[in-house]
Amino acid sequence: MSRILHNRLRSSLKKSTAWSCFDKRAVAFSIWTGKSMLLYKPIDPIHIPRRKYGMLIARAVRGVLKIRYLVLGGAVGGGMTLNKKYSEWKDGLPDMGWLNDLLPDNDQWNRFTTTLLDAKDRISDQFQIEPAPQKIQNNLQSRPVPSSIPARGSAEDTAAYEKRVHALQEEVLALQARYQRELQRLEQENRELRQQNMLLRQGRQPPPRKLKRSLIDMYSAVLDELSGWESGEAGRLPRVVVVGDQSAGKTSVLEMIAQARIFPRGAGEMCTRAPVKVTLSEGPYHVAQFRDSSREFDLNKESDLADLRKEVELRMRNSVRGGRTVSSDVIAMSVRGPGLPRMVLVDLPGVISTQTVDMAADTRDAIKQMTRTYMDNPNAIILCIQDGSVDAERSNVTDLVSSCDPQGKRTIFVLTKVDLAEENLANPNRIRRILEGKLFPMKALGYYAVVTGRSRKDDSIQSIREYEERFFRSSKLFKDGLVTPSQVTTRNLSLAVAECFWRMVRATVEQQADAFKAMRFNLETEWKNTFPRQRELDRDELFERARAELLDQSAEVSAVAAAAWERRLQDALWSAAKDRVFAGIYLPAAAQAHDDVALPVMQVKYKHKAAGDVMLAEVDPYDFDFNKFNTVVDIKLREWAERELPTQSVLAGREALREEFSALMARAQDSDPVYEPVKKEAVEEALRRHTWEERAQDVLRVLQLNALQDRCVASRADWDAAVSLMETALKEKLSAVDEELKSLTGPGLREKWLYWQSTSEEQKRRGEVRAELERLGSSRPTLAHDEVVAVRDNLRRRGVEVDNDYIRETWKPVYLKHFLERAQTRARDCKKSFYLYSQQNGTGKECCEVVMFWRVSATLRTTANALRQQIGNREAARLDRDLREVLDEMAGDPELKQKLLSGRRVELAEELKRVRQVQEKLEEFIEALNKEK
């Protein structure tokens, strides 16, 4: 029973749970869909409304809570974001603190307005000026007002008022737009500066900005390309040439136009010694810069102005070296600044009438020739400067200008120092006649009068300009109407010169471009016909190719095989040492060995068939003191190794390096013969500069002394090599001795019959003495007194008169020839004696000469090995460094390159390069000029 009740209870619970879950789903479905679930299951009508309203209220409360959190979170987040954006925008704005210095503060503004009101009241009291509204009202009351016109004013006044308001609105809009553009530009610059700052912090360099060059800078670059090339019609581009007598004020006028004291001053001394090309252009800052320098001189600073004047003076002094007073080398500089006119001026040395003793003899003619050369340019604007404080008859430049520009189509006349002229001249009409062009015979486009200061070096340009304006305002020239206002002040002068300059440029630049185009075509045609299938390489390119090839060949020195190096070094060492070995070691040792042989000398008299000649007993040629020979050889070899051999070895090493360089250059197949002189000059100069390390000589000395201590020939190959060296050396020396004897005694029988050669009387006498000495048969290097007397007596019996010195002088080559022939015989005999020598364990003395040559050969072989190691380890690298230094110096010496790289091929390539550069710059300038139009 209990089991049954338990099961029913559990089933009822399950049903109730299931129905409750179903009820929840039904209610939710009904709320969201608006459909009833009663179609599927009957719902309890009591529980449905109560549960529905409860759920709705709960959901509404939850939604309100969510909206609160969303609103609060959005407000906080939006505020933080807005604050961050405002901070970023504020940091990005440019620093406008400079406006505080320009705009007045409140106190100043109040004082200003108070002053204006007081001024208005005083002016109204003095002139009885009525206020505008009152005046309008009075006017309206004094005349009838039509019914169609408003009471406040007429229709015309209203239209004018609206038009003025509209104009003011447009001006405000334009000002706002300009301010917006300026703000954008500053923001862009700020971003670029931040980017550059970030790159610098990261250790990287910012990319260089490509600046847009102005027209005058482009034009000045064309003139720089044409500097030094003014022959023919090419290159006749416009420029303003400033000419005048010395101390006429040329430099002062140019400084007033440039608005800076940029030139040095001299007390009665010539200051301008070379042409100075000044390029004037507009810019944000007032700076000056030389063409070949990167330094900018701030013309607003006195220190930079002083440095600039010193630099100009230094360049002028450097250009007149070699005893000259003036030079034609152009000093090019550019001046930029706000409000400067755009033009190119050339300031020339002043024309002189008398030259002093400290000037060069051709100074006056050189200045006139230079001035005429610049003025002969048909497109040059001549700015003729005349000193107004001196008599017009003393002028030297006016006749020169008249001869170059007789019609005055490109001449502008400038009268300087008018203030002094007005004080000194009693008749002001003379100045009027000068400025009207009626006093001088020359003609000009315009006549101007200027004042360039009060002869004070410390006056600034601004003070001079103010003085000039004050003078002309108070001058009699103005008051009496002698001069028009447009003819005075340097300001009007600079504007007129700039206008004339650009008018000339626009009229002639196209023609000059066409001339260069035709010149380029002619040069290219000549190149194709003369040098086909060859590149157009100028001097710089040819030099760089020679430099690259030479450095490659220098690198190949270290790659030479060791065997080849040692052969070359041994040959160089033997060539340097053979004379010293023969004359300083071998022959003295042999002579002392012969002199010390104690043999009886028997004087025997017998009668010759033809005459009774006195003959002496001949000494055995093989009688030789070997001990004495070895002792002398040891001493001589040691002295040689300690004093001379290390230095000779270094010289031989340098000679081997030279030969190796020559061989490498000869083996270069692709080398161009046009730059071979450059390579040869560079190698010779590098070898002249190259010095062997001093410690290397000490190392060589030790090695050579150790090698000379070995007196034992170890192998048959070494023995044969020593004998071969001895025979070769003897053969060379014997050939030289034969040539000497031939020159002394004349040609032999063969030469007489085959080549029709004859002997002189001196040669015949030498021949008689030689024949008598050979009959004597002595083997001593020096003749005894008895031997000399016997030879002289025998020659006297034949009718030949000679003295003792003559006989001894002839005996030296005769003895040397006999000695060398006997030494050759000993060398051939010793060649077969190695077995006997080896059996004696090197103690045999019969072939001591072969042992001496072996010691010399072994020493030179050891030296060659040491030199090869020094070259490979140190000297090749040091020579390469010297070669690079020489090439760097040659690269900076245009005169040397012009001397070494010459010929029509090089000159034609240089002309082509310059013409192309000028044409490209001209076309670029013309394109920019057309865009400006």
Side-chain angles (χ1 to χ4, degrees):
M1 188 67 181
S2 62
R3 185 184 297 269
I4 295 172
L5 290 174
H6 179 73
N7 292 334
R8 287 181 178 178
L9 180 62
R10 186 172 61 181
S11 62
S12 64
L13 290 174
K14 289 182 178 179
K15 290 180 179 179
S16 63
T17 305
W19 279 111
S20 65
C21 293
F22 179 78
D23 291 343
K24 292 179 180 180
R25 290 195 297 270
V27 170
F29 180 79
S30 299
I31 292 172
W32 291 105
T33 60
K35 297 180 180 180
S36 177
M37 294 292 293
L38 295 176
L39 297 175
Y40 304 98
K41 180 182 181 301
I43 303 176
D44 189 0
I46 299 174
H47 296 86
I48 289 175
R50 184 181 302 168
R51 187 173 298 170
K52 178 177 180 182
Y53 294 141
M55 293 296 294
L56 288 174
I57 293 171
R59 290 182 180 274
V61 171
R62 186 178 63 180
V64 170
L65 293 175
K66 285 185 178 181
I67 291 172
R68 181 187 64 181
Y69 289 124
L70 288 174
V71 171
L72 292 176
V76 173
M80 294 177 64
T81 304
L82 185 61
N83 186 23
K84 183 178 180 181
K85 291 292 185 181
Y86 173 74
S87 300
E88 292 180 355
W89 177 79
K90 185 177 180 181
D91 294 338
L93 288 177
D95 186 12
M96 306 299 289
W98 55 274
L99 289 175
N100 296 329
D101 299 334
L102 298 178
L103 297 177
D105 54 9
N106 294 330
D107 297 337
Q108 293 176 348
W109 182 256
N110 293 331
R111 289 196 300 270
F112 178 69
T113 54
T114 304
T115 304
L116 287 179
L117 293 175
D118 295 342
K120 180 180 77 65
D121 296 338
R122 288 195 298 269
I123 293 173
S124 299
D125 296 339
Q126 184 174 359
F127 297 99
Q128 289 84 29
I129 298 177
E130 297 179 356
Q134 185 67 29
K135 184 177 181 181
I136 295 173
Q137 186 176 0
N138 296 336
N139 291 334
L140 290 176
Q141 292 177 357
S142 62
R143 59 184 178 180
V145 180
S147 60
S148 60
I149 300 177
R152 296 184 61 183
S154 62
E156 290 80 2
D157 295 338
T158 304
Y161 177 77
E162 292 179 355
K163 185 176 181 180
R164 188 175 62 179
V165 170
H166 183 66
L168 289 175
Q169 290 177 350
E170 290 183 352
E171 185 178 355
V172 170
L173 291 176
L175 182 61
Q176 186 177 5
R178 188 173 62 181
Y179 175 76
Q180 186 67 25
R181 289 194 300 270
E182 184 68 17
L183 186 62
Q184 293 176 358
R185 184 183 66 82
L186 293 175
E187 290 178 351
Q188 178 67 22
E189 291 183 358
N190 191 14
R191 285 194 294 269
E192 291 179 358
L193 290 174
R194 287 184 177 181
Q195 184 178 3
Q196 293 179 4
N197 189 17
M198 185 179 300
L199 291 175
L200 291 174
R201 287 181 178 179
Q202 295 176 359
R204 295 183 296 171
Q205 291 292 334
R209 293 182 60 186
K210 185 177 181 181
L211 300 176
K212 183 179 179 182
R213 295 189 302 167
S214 62
L215 276 176
I216 193 62
D217 291 333
M218 298 167 64
Y219 186 77
S220 179
V222 176
L223 295 181
D224 291 339
E225 290 291 336
L226 292 173
S227 61
W229 183 19
E230 295 294 336
S231 59
E233 293 299 327
R236 297 299 191 177
L237 293 176
R239 71 206 71 184
V240 180
V241 181
V242 185
V243 299
D245 297 333
Q246 184 178 354
S247 302
K250 302 188 301 355
T251 304
S252 300
V253 171
L254 199 152
E255 286 181 340
M256 290 292 291
I257 296 176
Q259 300 181 14
R261 308 297 292 266
I262 58 178
F263 292 105
R265 290 290 191 274
E269 166 180 19
M270 180 182 294
C271 296
T272 306
R273 297 176 179 269
V276 182
K277 183 174 76 68
V278 182
T279 303
L280 300 179
S281 60
E282 286 188 291
Y285 307 107
H286 202 189
V287 295
Q289 184 179 4
F290 290 98
R291 182 184 65 181
D292 55 354
S293 176
S294 59
R295 178 185 177 184
E296 285 188 348
F297 298 88
D298 189 352
L299 300 183
N300 294 322
K301 296 181 179 179
E302 288 298 329
S303 59
D304 283 18
L305 275 172
D307 293 342
L308 178 62
R309 290 191 288 265
K310 289 180 181 178
E311 182 68 20
V312 172
E313 185 176 5
L314 179 62
R315 289 173 179 259
M316 285 188 181
R317 293 189 181 277
N318 291 336
S319 65
V320 293
R321 289 178 177 176
R324 296 181 298 173
T325 305
V326 294
S327 171
S328 60
D329 298 338
V330 180
I331 301 174
M333 65 187 309
S334 61
V335 178
R336 298 179 179 86
L340 289 183
R342 301 181 302 168
M343 56 182 164
V344 178
L345 302 100
V346 181
D347 186 20
L348 297 176
V351 179
I352 60 176
S353 58
T354 305
Q355 60 188 28
T356 58
V357 294
D358 56 346
M359 295 181 180
D362 60 341
T363 300
R364 181 175 55 186
D365 297 335
I367 293 175
K368 287 186 178 181
Q369 181 62 33
M370 185 191 308
T371 305
R372 186 179 293 275
T373 301
Y374 276 89
M375 290 193 302
D376 282 341
N377 179 3
N379 298 324
I381 301 170
I382 303 173
L383 196 63
C384 180
I385 309 298
Q386 173 64 34
D387 189 353
S389 63
V390 299
D391 297 335
E393 293 79 9
R394 295 167 55 185
S395 176
N396 297 309
V397 75
T398 52
D399 294 338
L400 195 62
V401 174
S402 299
S403 63
C404 295
D405 185 24
Q407 301 299 325
K409 295 182 178 180
R410 50 189 180 88
T411 300
I412 296 178
F413 182 85
V414 182
L415 186 67
T416 62
K417 306 178 183 179
V418 184
D419 53 343
L420 300 179
E422 189 179 36
E423 293 178 2
N424 298 332
L425 291 179
N427 185 11
N429 290 327
R430 190 175 180 87
I431 298 178
R432 179 181 59 80
R433 292 182 61 195
I434 293 176
L435 296 179
E436 289 178 354
K438 297 179 179 179
L439 185 63
F440 291 106
M442 59 172 291
K443 298 179 181 180
L445 290 173
Y447 298 85
Y448 293 87
V450 298
V451 175
T452 57
R454 291 164 290 183
S455 301
R456 299 177 184 175
K457 297 191 297 182
D458 299 332
D459 287 348
S460 63
I461 296 296
Q462 184 62 28
S463 64
I464 296 175
R465 179 165 293 178
E466 293 175 356
Y467 170 74
E468 182 184 38
E469 293 176 355
R470 287 197 307 269
F471 167 76
F472 282 114
R473 280 198 301 266
S474 60
S475 174
K476 297 179 180 179
L477 301 175
F478 270 140
K479 293 180 179 180
D480 298 341
L482 301 178
V483 179
T484 60
S486 60
Q487 285 185 284
V488 297
T489 71
T490 53
R491 188 190 303 275
N492 293 332
L493 172 64
S494 60
L495 293 176
V497 174
E499 182 182 358
C500 183
F501 171 77
W502 283 105
R503 185 169 62 249
M504 185 77 74
V505 168
R506 289 187 174 90
T508 60
V509 69
E510 295 282 354
Q511 299 176 0
Q512 298 301 318
D514 294 339
F516 277 98
K517 188 180 297 184
M519 184 185 299
R520 176 178 177 177
F521 176 78
N522 295 334
L523 293 176
E524 288 178 347
T525 304
E526 181 182 356
W527 181 274
K528 292 177 181 178
N529 295 333
T530 310
F531 307 103
R533 297 185 298 276
Q534 290 187 7
R535 291 181 58 190
E536 303 165 2
L537 301 177
D538 57 6
R539 282 192 176 89
D540 294 334
E541 293 172 337
L542 289 173
F543 180 81
E544 291 301 324
R545 290 190 63 178
R547 177 195 184 102
E549 286 189 11
L550 197 54
L551 292 178
D552 291 341
Q553 293 168 359
S554 176
E556 293 178 6
V557 172
S558 58
V560 178
W565 264 124
E566 291 193 3
R567 285 195 300 270
R568 187 179 295 278
L569 287 169
Q570 287 182 17
D571 293 341
L573 286 169
W574 175 247
S575 298
K578 61 183 179 181
D579 293 336
R580 181 68 175 85
V581 170
F582 257 101
I585 301 174
Y586 181 47
L587 294 180
Q592 293 189 28
H594 277 295
D595 285 340
D596 291 341
V597 176
L599 292 176
V601 180
M602 297 175 294
Q603 186 171 359
V604 181
K605 292 185 180 181
Y606 67 95
K607 291 185 179 181
H608 194 266
K609 292 181 180 179
D613 296 337
V614 177
M615 295 297 297
L616 301 178
E618 184 179 357
V619 179
D620 186 2
Y622 290 96
D623 290 333
F624 200 79
D625 190 350
F626 300 106
N627 293 326
K628 186 65 175 178
F629 179 81
N630 289 333
T631 301
V632 176
V633 165
D634 288 341
I635 296 172
K636 296 292 184 182
L637 286 177
R638 187 172 184 85
E639 292 178 354
W640 179 48
E642 288 180 349
R643 300 176 183 175
E644 302 177 17
L645 184 56
T647 304
Q648 290 180 348
S649 302
V650 169
L651 295 176
R654 294 181 61 187
E655 184 63 27
L657 274 177
R658 180 188 297 273
E659 293 176 358
E660 188 61 35
F661 260 109
S662 301
L664 289 173
M665 286 191 293
R667 288 196 297 268
Q669 299 178 355
D670 299 334
S671 181
D672 197 335
V674 72
Y675 52 72
E676 284 299 319
V678 175
K679 297 168 62 176
K680 184 178 179 181
E681 178 69 20
V683 170
E684 291 181 355
E685 181 63 25
L687 288 173
R688 282 194 295 267
R689 295 186 183 183
H690 176 66
T691 57
W692 222 271
E693 287 186 329
E694 295 182 359
R695 61 179 182 177
Q697 294 189 10
D698 298 334
V699 174
L700 291 175
R701 184 179 293 106
V702 173
L703 293 175
Q704 290 161 355
L705 289 173
N706 292 334
L708 288 174
Q709 296 299 325
D710 191 2
R711 298 179 179 83
C712 183
V713 184
S715 64
R716 180 59 185 256
D718 293 339
W719 183 270
D720 292 341
V723 173
S724 176
L725 178 63
M726 180 179 176
E727 289 179 343
T728 303
L730 291 173
K731 184 178 180 180
E732 293 178 359
K733 195 67 176 179
L734 184 59
S735 176
V737 172
D738 287 337
E739 290 295 329
E740 183 180 0
L741 285 173
K742 184 177 179 181
S743 64
L744 289 175
T745 61
L749 184 61
R750 181 172 177 272
E751 286 80 5
K752 290 180 180 179
W753 284 95
L754 294 179
Y755 301 105
W756 296 86
Q757 295 181 0
S758 59
T759 57
S760 62
E761 294 296 330
E762 176 64 23
Q763 289 175 342
K764 291 179 180 179
R765 185 164 59 238
R766 289 281 187 184
E768 293 288 343
V769 176
R770 175 186 176 184
E772 188 62 32
L773 290 172
E774 289 178 350
R775 289 175 58 194
L776 177 65
S778 177
S779 61
R780 294 176 178 273
T782 56
L783 293 176
H785 180 73
D786 295 340
E787 294 173 333
V788 174
V789 171
V791 171
R792 188 185 60 189
D793 292 342
N794 293 337
L795 290 172
R796 186 180 292 115
R797 292 188 183 93
R798 295 192 183 95
V800 179
E801 291 290 339
V802 293
D803 55 9
N804 296 344
D805 295 335
Y806 193 88
I807 296 172
R808 290 191 177 93
E809 182 181 353
T810 310
W811 169 246
K812 292 179 181 179
V814 173
Y815 162 76
L816 188 56
K817 177 179 174 61
H818 289 196
F819 172 78
L820 294 175
E821 290 175 348
R822 293 194 297 269
Q824 282 183 329
T825 302
R826 292 194 296 273
R828 287 192 295 268
D829 294 340
C830 291
K831 191 173 184 179
K832 306 173 184 178
S833 304
F834 177 71
Y835 178 75
L836 179 61
Y837 175 81
S838 61
Q839 291 298 321
Q840 297 175 354
N841 295 323
T843 59
K845 300 178 181 179
E846 290 79 6
C847 294
C848 58
E849 296 167 296
V850 176
V851 175
M852 187 208 77
F853 276 96
W854 178 82
R855 294 171 66 185
V856 172
S857 176
T859 303
L860 297 181
R861 186 166 57 251
T862 303
T863 304
N865 187 20
L867 286 173
R868 177 188 61 80
Q869 294 178 5
Q870 292 177 3
I871 291 173
N873 296 334
R874 296 283 298 171
E875 300 304 328
R878 296 177 71 245
L879 180 60
D880 184 75
R881 184 179 67 247
D882 294 336
L883 183 61
R884 291 178 184 273
E885 292 178 357
V886 171
L887 290 172
D888 291 340
E889 293 177 3
M890 294 176 66
D893 191 351
E895 295 182 358
L896 181 60
K897 287 196 293 186
Q898 186 175 4
K899 176 183 177 181
L900 298 176
L901 297 171
S902 58
R904 182 55 185 166
R905 173 185 166 186
V906 182
E907 294 174 357
L908 187 58
E910 287 283 320
E911 292 180 7
L912 264 173
K913 177 184 176 182
R914 296 187 62 184
V915 169
R916 285 171 179 164
Q917 289 177 350
V918 174
Q919 184 188 1
E920 291 173 0
K921 291 183 180 296
L922 269 175
E923 291 178 352
E924 182 183 3
F925 171 74
I926 292 172
E927 182 180 358
L929 186 65
N930 294 332
K931 287 182 179 179
E932 191 182 69
K933 292 180 181 179

